[in-house]
Structures are given as C-alpha cells and as structure tokens.
Amino acid sequence: MPSMLRIGLTGGIAAGKSTASARFAERGARVIDHDVLARRVVEPGSAALVDIVAAFGDMVVVNGQLDRAALAQIVFRDDHERERLNRIVHPYVMAAALAADRQARLEGVDVVVHDIPLLVETGQGGDFDLVVTVAAPVELRIQRLVSSRGMTGAEAEARIAAQATDEQRAAAADVVLDGSGSPEELAAQVDRFWDELVPH
C-alpha cells in the first residue's frame, strides 16, 4: 500500500459526487476539489482569465471577473468551444492540484481524494491508486438539476450530454457507488468502502 493513498473521485453532474466527497472528508481524507481549483485559477488578474478573454472575448468578463453564465452559454452549446475552454483551464487546474497533492504528502496525510468532475474526460483515470465513481440514472439527475439548481430540462440534458456517460466512468473506475438513493444511503456506501479499503 502506498504511503499516501490517492483516490480519484468522479461522477456525473447531480449524481451525488458532492455528497460522497463530503463524507470522505468527514472520515478523515484530505479532499482536493478540482471545481474549487478551477474557480481559483480564473480569479481576477489570473493568467487563465487573460487566456480565456483572449479566446472568447470581453463579453465573458464583468467588472474584471469571469461571467460564468455568459461563458456557459457559449461552451455548453458547442463542443468545439467547450474543448477550447478545457484546453485553457485544465493545465492551470492540474498544476494547482499537484501543488495541493505535494502539500498533503509533506503534511503526512494518509488519504487524499481528488474530487474531479471530468476525470474520465481528461484521461486522468490512471493517475490514482483507486478511482471511485458515483452513478445515478440520467432521468433522476435531470430531475435534481431542475428542482435544485433551477435549470430547464433542456439545460440539464445539455450539461449531462457534455460529460462522459455512466458506462464510460464505470469502465475507468475501481468502485461504483450508487447515488440514486438518499444522501444517507450514499454516505453509508462511502463508509463501507473506507472501512474495507483504506488503511487504518
């Protein structure tokens, strides 16, 4: 067993990944949230934001800050534009994630969980000791996005279609957790995984 167990956690939007991530943190893992890193690397004055404006124009910035809604309107309607954005942002996120990983190792952390929505899409499955994915039926995920995030059905479908399928994620994963039930049920699955596989 490596001195620091590195787990890649992924799952489709609204499948329950955030619930699983929070439970890993409660059990003592150091969670490195790549969504948080993605927001951090595009803060005002950042090199990534400069690159985004160069690629997409001034309309994606308001008062010096990235206008996420305006950018989403562009990239979730056009695969080419989304890939262009990913090519800009992902290297910055990867660098920030590696720095956080090194810091955890220096601090003697036993388990690090990298919470990565696009783990499969960005080909990072082989970068971890274990890959865990959270799965839930597409219809349920659409319902969750509409009810909890205020999306229209079409917007929810577009977000889901922009990601890998559950089958693609399962093929890259060592463990598949079922996110179709309650948050408590998913947390219990994380507990079982933790107790079986994580060194104590």
Side-chain angles (χ1 to χ4, degrees):
M1 185 68 71
S3 58
M4 183 176 82
L5 182 66
R6 300 174 69 254
I7 298 171
L9 173 66
T10 193
I13 187 170
K17 178 179 59 60
S18 296
T19 297
S21 181
R23 188 59 177 169
F24 275 116
E26 288 169 0
R27 291 303 305 263
R30 170 75 56 85
V31 174
I32 299 172
D33 187 332
H34 287 227
D35 264 351
V36 171
L37 297 181
R39 288 192 289 273
R40 192 175 299 157
V41 301
V42 297
E43 287 176 350
S46 65
L49 184 57
V50 171
D51 291 348
I52 289 169
V53 172
F56 295 97
D58 291 338
M59 79 283 292
V60 298
V61 175
V62 175
N63 298 325
Q65 296 200 343
L66 182 64
D67 185 339
R68 297 178 184 284
L71 188 58
Q73 288 291 324
I74 297 169
V75 301
F76 286 108
R77 291 178 175 173
D78 187 321
D79 289 348
H80 173 73
E81 297 292 353
R82 189 169 64 256
E83 289 167 9
R84 187 154 66 126
L85 175 64
N86 288 341
R87 283 196 300 272
I88 293 169
V89 175
H90 282 166
Y92 291 105
V93 174
M94 290 293 294
L98 286 172
D101 208 82
R102 283 194 299 270
Q103 184 63 35
R105 195 178 294 275
L106 286 172
E107 294 175 16
V109 172
D110 291 326
V111 182
V112 171
V113 173
H114 284 261
D115 180 337
I116 311 176
L118 300 180
L119 182 147
V120 171
E121 293 86 338
T122 52
Q124 297 179 64
D127 296 347
F128 300 97
D129 302 309
L130 291 168
V131 172
V132 177
T133 187
V134 182
V138 169
E139 297 79 12
L140 175 61
R141 291 161 57 200
I142 291 172
Q143 288 175 12
R144 288 173 175 173
L145 289 171
V146 171
S147 64
S148 67
R149 304 199 198 182
M151 292 186 187
T152 65
E155 287 171 339
E157 288 175 8
R159 293 295 177 97
I160 290 171
Q163 297 183 335
T165 64
D166 277 345
E167 290 76 18
Q168 289 168 323
R169 278 186 288 267
D174 299 288
V175 176
V176 179
L177 303 178
D178 180 5
S180 63
S182 69
E184 292 76 19
E185 288 169 333
L186 180 53
Q189 293 177 63
V190 172
D191 286 344
R192 285 195 294 273
F193 167 78
W194 184 272
D195 292 338
E196 289 173 10
L197 292 176
V198 174
H200 299 290

